[in-house]
Amino acid sequence: DRVRRIRQKSDIPIALMTYYNPVFHFGEEKAIKAAVKAGVDGFIIPDLPCEEAGDLIEYAKKANISTVFFVAPTTIHHIESGNKRLKEISNKSSGFIYYVALYGVTGPAAYNNPSFENDFSWIKMMDIKKPICVGFGISTPKQVREFTRYFDGVIVGSAIVQEIEKNTGRSDLVSKVSRYVSTLVEAAK
């Protein structure tokens, strides 16, 4: 419903990020059809590896809905299977590839992957044609500035949610969150 309302005012690309369980229980094909009807452009499902997403990928491809899969630092650093896995992720992703910026779980955190520059160089050497966006743990303008030097896009999610929670109930919630997001957008320029 929210995407439908946004579509009345904007054609900004919208990818839904969710765990696989709700999609599985709703039904993959039914979820894709509902997404098309609402105006969704893509799905990001962090706990669904591309090797297990065959049916969802096919339903999405037929409906012109993007599927975005993750490349983790552990994928890149696994010498024996890293190249093969990256190619598979690239082949099964549409829209963009989501590079996980840190080890661990999402949320604003101290950045803990000092090798991202090497990781990005390695991904580019693999001749990946899709845009590569980076996310997980990114929360400051400084981090955004640093990552935009290497990646095609920067994804900030949990930090924005925390900014909303911090200002919930305040009459200036929208302006406070907007200012925070503006600092991130400016840093990306």
Side-chain angles (χ1 to χ4, degrees), residues 18-20 23-24 27-29 32 43-62 65-70 85 88-89 91-94:
T18 182
Y19 290 107
Y20 180 63
V23 175
F24 175 76
E28 291 178 341
E29 187 172 22
I32 294 294
F43 273 97
I44 303 171
I45 306 176
D47 63 338
L48 180 63
C50 66
E51 298 87 354
E52 303 294 326
D55 290 342
L56 182 75
I57 291 169
E58 287 308 310
Y59 297 137
K61 195 180 289 184
K62 288 177 189 170
I65 298 263
S66 294
T67 50
V68 176
F69 293 101
F70 290 80
R85 179 141 171 71
E88 185 171 10
I89 291 167
N91 290 335
K92 292 185 177 178
S93 288
S94 54

Side-chain angles (χ1 to χ4, degrees), residues 116-126 150:
F116 79 87
E117 291 177 48
N118 292 335
D119 294 355
F120 181 73
S121 297
W122 182 76
I123 292 169
K124 285 299 184 182
M125 282 179 13
M126 296 293 298
Y150 301 96

Side-chain angles (χ1 to χ4, degrees), residues 2-164:
R2 183 162 294 143
V3 172
R4 227 178 264 113
R5 288 194 310 261
I6 292 169
R7 282 290 167 248
Q8 293 171 0
K9 297 179 181 182
S10 174
D11 61 356
I12 187 171
I14 298 173
L16 297 181
M17 186 170 186
T18 182
Y19 290 107
Y20 180 63
N21 193 37
V23 175
F24 175 76
H25 283 284
F26 191 73
E28 291 178 341
E29 187 172 22
K30 189 176 167 186
I32 294 294
K33 286 179 179 178
V36 167
K37 197 172 184 180
V40 171
D41 298 292
F43 273 97
I44 303 171
I45 306 176
D47 63 338
L48 180 63
C50 66
E51 298 87 354
E52 303 294 326
D55 290 342
L56 182 75
I57 291 169
E58 287 308 310
Y59 297 137
K61 195 180 289 184
K62 288 177 189 170
N64 199 30
I65 298 263
S66 294
T67 50
V68 176
F69 293 101
F70 290 80
V71 172
T74 52
T75 299
I76 291 170
H77 301 152
H78 196 278
I79 294 168
E80 293 174 23
S81 62
N83 289 359
K84 181 181 174 199
R85 179 141 171 71
L86 179 59
K87 285 181 183 175
E88 185 171 10
I89 291 167
S90 176
N91 290 335
K92 292 185 177 178
S93 288
S94 54
F96 66 92
I97 296 169
Y98 197 131
Y99 173 78
V100 178
L102 56 79
Y103 294 96
V105 297
T106 189
Y111 183 67
N112 65 0
N113 180 6
S115 68
F116 79 87
E117 291 177 48
N118 292 335
D119 294 355
F120 181 73
S121 297
W122 182 76
I123 292 169
K124 285 299 184 182
M125 282 179 13
M126 296 293 298
D127 199 29
I128 303 300
K129 303 288 188 221
K130 293 180 177 77
I132 301 166
C133 299
V134 59
F136 279 64
I138 300 170
S139 60
T140 68
K142 180 181 177 190
Q143 291 170 325
V144 169
R145 226 178 346 273
E146 185 174 11
F147 282 116
T148 53
R149 292 177 36 217
Y150 301 96
F151 294 90
D152 301 303
V154 178
I155 300 163
V156 178
S158 297
I160 295 170
V161 170
Q162 285 185 351
E163 192 69 20
I164 292 167

